[in-house]
Each structure stands twice: as structure tokens, then as C-alpha cells.
Amino acid sequence: MKRIIFLFILVLSLPNMAFCQSCKDEFFILEEYQYDEEGKPIIIPADSIEYYRITNKDYSAWGFKNKKGEIIIPPGKYSFLNDINKYGMIYAEKEGKEGYIDITEKVLIPFIYDKVGAPSDNVELISVIKNGKQGFVNYKGEIVIALEYDGKPYSAAFFHPEVAILTKNGRYGVIDSKNNVIIPFEYDNIRYSNEMDYFIVTKGKEWATFSFDGKQLSRFDNSIIIQNRNRLPSYMTNLPLLITAQKNEENIDYLFMDINYRNGTKRIRDSIEISIGGEFSYIDKAKQIIVPYGIYDYAKPFGLGRNAIVAKKWKYGIINEYGKIVLPLNYDYIERFSQYSPFNDIFLATQGQTVTVFDKNVRKLPVKDITSYLYEDNKLYISDIHGKKGLLDYFGTQTIPFKYDTLYASHNLYTTGFIAKKEGMYGFISEKDEIIQPFIYRDIYTLKDGLVFVNTDNKAGMFDKNWNIKLAFEYDSICDTYYNNFEPEEAKYIVINNGKVGTVDIHNKTVIPIMYDALSGWVEYGPEAHFALKDGKYGLISHTNQIIIPFEYDYIGLPKGGVIVVRKNGKYGALSWENKEILPCKYDFIINDMPIEDIGDKRAPKLIVLLNNTWNYYDGQGEIIRKDVPKEIIMGNYGYILEWGTPSNENPDFSMKHAKSNSKN
């Protein structure tokens, strides 16, 4: 049976489900996704799920509904709820403590612990931490192993074969599920091998291997273990261990750099140049030599297919677990993707200007004429000698042939497929090269709720996931707003038309009249509002076009602590969110140093004001709190702001969409 990895994604709507809440509801359903061992996404069928988690916009209140839409666990009792596990248990957080309940809210593990772990597949024990001490309880909440071990930030668990790595008085050791000590608590570190079939035990700068029954399998020495970042599947046991005699561990990091490799470029070579020339060896867990030092000057850990990439004098090849060469060292570069990449079954070997694809058993796959490739969005994009792009699937089969000038994923939750370009025009295709939208568009780009197509008249329109026109082809540009993320039926979009900017809703109804010269899409830590430009002056308007700050300023700053710095006729002042004057526009400069409480900002609130070469501090009500602040203090604390020069609403941080640019970005 394949191991299943679960992932839960917040969905904006579930239009095909009878139990979906309306857009006016306060709480929203979490839909379940899962990924199989090959990394392929699977959506759990709606009718197979009895209970759905619900949460509010800020994730502060959680509950459960059944498929009929009935509230089973009312939101608000718990600050977090996990999904129901296979044992019928629900991890929950309540009043700063952690525990477990079932769907009837029966408490299984009481809310008295600072941390509780996840159930183990091997033994019915769950780690708990209280007052800095860690122990284990059964699924009824009864203490089985006393809280006598160090309480780490994470909770330990029993892995196969029913052993757990813990610390006691700062030293590492191993126990079994009956609290018998397997490895004494006297080591600096203990971790599982990549293959989860033995322990790697560290003492000072030396390490040795131990079996799961506590038997020492090898002597301690100080060579460096090169571990994969991801654990291998359980069937990958007893593979040789890669070690190096290099003493500089920073060099080893270069072996794991994530690079979008392209046919043996200098960039690739530069990335590993510091590592190549090192001394590498492969040993078994008893430290018997499989491949001795000096044979290769670059090597990678073993992976799927029980093969490893090696190099000598800048030429790459592949060896098997017995050290035998299975692919000669004739290549400029060989790449194998990470163990849990969808493409973990293949090797890509570059030689000159061509790339050859091999499967995990180093058998050549029938994909020819590859000159470059790019791994992105869990997709492998390839190019041929003419620069035409195609796509490889998980098994090394070319599902989209070499015939497109541009090819990339849509980056859209609802619409899966690829934006492609050929003969100067854009279209939309499936992973099997099926045409979904014809090649008649000048451009295609993705927003959070759909795809925007630009037709031959340079007018933009949007389709929904069912390929119905959502926004008519009557705009010069369509851009996202970054609010109403949880309410798709109330989503708004910034549109540019005939040299002006406004917003429309999902039904193509005008919300903010298309009358402004520029409009902000999003402001980090900013207000529930838009910065807007009209007739050369800035103001602030609400999402429904209510004027917050009138259009009479040359500059409006980011609201902080309820204070907004403005500039008029070359002089600065400050306003409240209610447009009340805090400081008149008569100052040479104002720095808003009010704290942003939403992110835990604990600075003392103040406005730093410059007038006639004198700096003063004011509070948020416009009252002076310190006069004649030395310039040295100002420069030491705020000099970097002054070096930026006069701020501007045209700064990209404000995400202003200017009508004259007709930009979609």
C-alpha cells in the first residue's frame, strides 16, 4: 500500500457541493487534498468525507460541519482543530493548551499539556510536554511513560521498530515503548539513518552507527556524513553511506544547492566547484568500504533505483550500490531530482549541447533532441535545438511535444493546464496537449480567481474554471485586489479602461467608478482602502468608493498606528484615519514611527518632525513629547529613511495601478 501524505488547502468556494456555505457566512470550509508517494495530487471526493473543518477569516476560531451543513462542533471553542485522524482523534488547541477530542467533543487527552504530539503508527502512544518535561500517554490520556525526559520544542514519537530518540539532562539516548533504555543517555546527538534502518550516534566530533537493539555496529571516527535532506522511502534499506574526509562542512552544502540546471553551463560548475576535488567514500553501516577514497572527487548520496551520481575530473557518471559503474563518466553534468519530487525516477544527463533522459535503473528513455530543461512548479519543461518547448511527465514521457515558443503553468487553484504560445499568439492547453482555449490571444495571465485573456483588439477579459466569460472583453487591463480572499462571490478586480482606473465585482458590476488615474491593489499592513490618484492629487478611498482622505495631497503615507503622513505644497502634516488634523502641513519632514500592533511592534509611539533644522518628537495626538532632539540620534535611528529621499505613492510598495501604463502587473 502506498504511503499517503495529507495536505489541507483553504478553498474559496465549493460550488458543486450542496453543503457549501453561502458567501455571507462567517466561517469557511476546508477541503481535503492528498498526495501519493509520487507527488501526484488527489482530491478526496466530497461524498466520502463525513465531517469538514470550518474556520473564520483570521483562523482564530475552528469547528466542524457534517456533509449536510449541520454544525457539529461550534466554532469559537477551540483556537485550532486538526482534521480527524484514522483513530477518530482530533488534535485541538484551547486556552493556550493542547489536547485531543473526538467528533462528539469527548476529551481523549486533557488540555493540560503545553505540547502534544501525533499518534504513532507503531504503538498507541502520544508524546506530551508539560512544564518542560516530556513523557507519553495512551489514546485514553493515561500516562504510560512518566514525564521524566527533556521537553523539546517538538514532540518525539516512536518510529519503527517502536523506539524513540529522547534527551535527558541534555544528553541523547533511545528508549523502547516500555521505557527500557536501548542506547544510554550519554551522547551529543542521535538521529535515524536516511533509510530508517539504524541510528547515527554522535560523540564530540565523532560518530558511529548503532542498531535498533542498541548494538554498536561501527567504531567512532570524525569523517563527515553526507545525508540527503529528505528521508528515503522505507524500502530503500542498507544502501551505502556517503562520507567525505573534508573537514569544512560548508563545502558540503554545495552538494545540495537547488538550481534550475541547464545543459552544463558555467553556473552549474561554479556551484559545485568548491566541493569537487574533495575526498569521498561510500561505506556500509558497519563502515566496511564499498568505494574507497580517491576514486571520485565528487559524489552524491544514493537514491531511487539504488544508484548514485559520481564525478571525476569534471566528468559525471552513475554507480550502483556495489560501486560498479552503470553509466560511464562521459557527461558534463547529471541531475537527479529530490526523493519526493514527481520526477524522482529520472536522471537528466548533459553531454555537449544535448540532454539524455534515463530512468531510475539508468535505462535510456526515448526522448530526443533535448538541449535544456527547467524544473518549476513540479513540472519539467524541456526545450529542443530550435528553442521550442515541451513537457515531460512523471515517467519521462513527453506529454507535450516540442512546438511552443512559451510554456508555463497557470498558477491557478481552479484552472489546471498550461499557457502556451505559438506563431506569436497565446492559447491554453492541457497536460496532454489538448487545446482548451484556441491560439487567438495576444496574452494570457493568471489572477487568483481565474485567467485573464487579452484578445487581438488588446482588450482583456476573464474566464472562470468552466470557461464561461466572467469579466467581459472591454478592459485595457484587469488586476487583482488582495481583499475578499475568502468570499469569491464578493471578489473585486481593478480594471483599466480608456485611461482611467476603477474596480468591478465578479459579476462585472462597477464598484469603484472607472474615473481615477491610479489605484492601489494592496498595501502591506495597510488599511481596508485604496490609495488613489485623481487630477494629480492623492487621496484614500474605501472599497466602496467612500472618501476617507480627500484628493488634495501630493503624497499620502502608509497609515501606521492610526496616523497618516501627508504632503501639500511641499510641506508635511499628519492626519488621523478619520481625516482629523493631527499636525498641519507646515513641516519640512515627518517620519511616522507609530508601532504596527498587528505584528507585535512594541516601539514607543511617536512622530519625528523636522522644522527649521530642528527635530522634535510628537505623540499620535499631535502633542510634543521631546524638543530639540540631537541630529546624531535622528541619524542613528532614522538615517536610513532620510537616505531614501522623499517618499512617493508611485513606489511599488503601494502597488499603484496607473491607467497610462495599462499594466497588468
Side-chain angles (χ1 to χ4, degrees), residues 535-555:
D535 300 326
K537 299 295 183 180
Y538 287 97
L540 271 176
I541 61 175
S542 73
H543 297 165
T544 57
N545 200 40
Q546 300 299 308
I547 294 178
I548 300 171
I549 304 296
F551 290 85
E552 55 186 67
Y553 299 99
D554 304 315
Y555 165 79

Side-chain angles (χ1 to χ4, degrees), residues 560-563 592-596 601 603-607 618-620:
K560 292 171 60 180
V563 178
N592 189 346
D593 198 29
M594 304 295 287
I596 306 174
D601 196 341
R603 289 174 296 170
K606 56 184 176 295
L607 299 171
Y618 289 79
D619 64 17

Side-chain angles (χ1 to χ4, degrees), residues 11 20 148 176 210 256 269 284 366 370 390 442 453 514 518 597:
V11 297
C20 180
E148 60 183 278
D176 64 15
F210 282 68
F256 306 107
R269 295 194 174 194
D284 64 19
I370 300 176
R442 292 191 179 275
F453 289 68
I514 306 172
E597 296 178 356

Side-chain angles (χ1 to χ4, degrees), residues 69 83 173 243:
D83 59 295
I243 63 171

Side-chain angles (χ1 to χ4, degrees), residues 158-215:
F158 282 90
F159 293 101
H160 177 79
E162 301 182 8
V163 291
I165 301 172
L166 296 165
T167 62
K168 196 171 187 177
N169 300 322
R171 309 300 291 173
Y172 280 80
V174 177
I175 64 170
D176 64 15
S177 59
K178 299 185 184 299
N179 204 25
N180 298 310
V181 176
I182 304 301
I183 297 177
F185 288 83
E186 58 187 50
Y187 297 101
D188 296 323
N189 196 8
I190 300 176
R191 64 186 188 271
Y192 293 96
S193 69
N194 279 352
E195 297 84 19
M196 302 284 291
D197 62 343
Y198 58 90
F199 294 113
I200 298 172
V201 178
T202 302
K203 182 172 62 176
K205 295 184 179 181
E206 298 185 331
W207 62 273
T209 55
F210 282 68
S211 68
F212 283 146
D213 59 5
K215 180 181 178 182

Side-chain angles (χ1 to χ4, degrees), residues 472-487:
F473 282 84
E474 58 188 41
Y475 304 106
D476 300 324
S477 180
I478 302 172
C479 323
D480 270 329
T481 59
Y482 293 85
Y483 52 87
N484 294 326
N485 284 326
F486 298 91
E487 303 170 17

Side-chain angles (χ1 to χ4, degrees), residues 330-349:
N330 296 329
Y331 294 88
D332 300 321
Y333 193 76
I334 300 177
E335 180 181 7
R336 184 192 70 225
F337 296 101
S338 67
Q339 304 297 334
Y340 293 113
S341 161
F343 298 93
N344 55 26
D345 285 342
I346 67 173
F347 295 93
L348 290 111

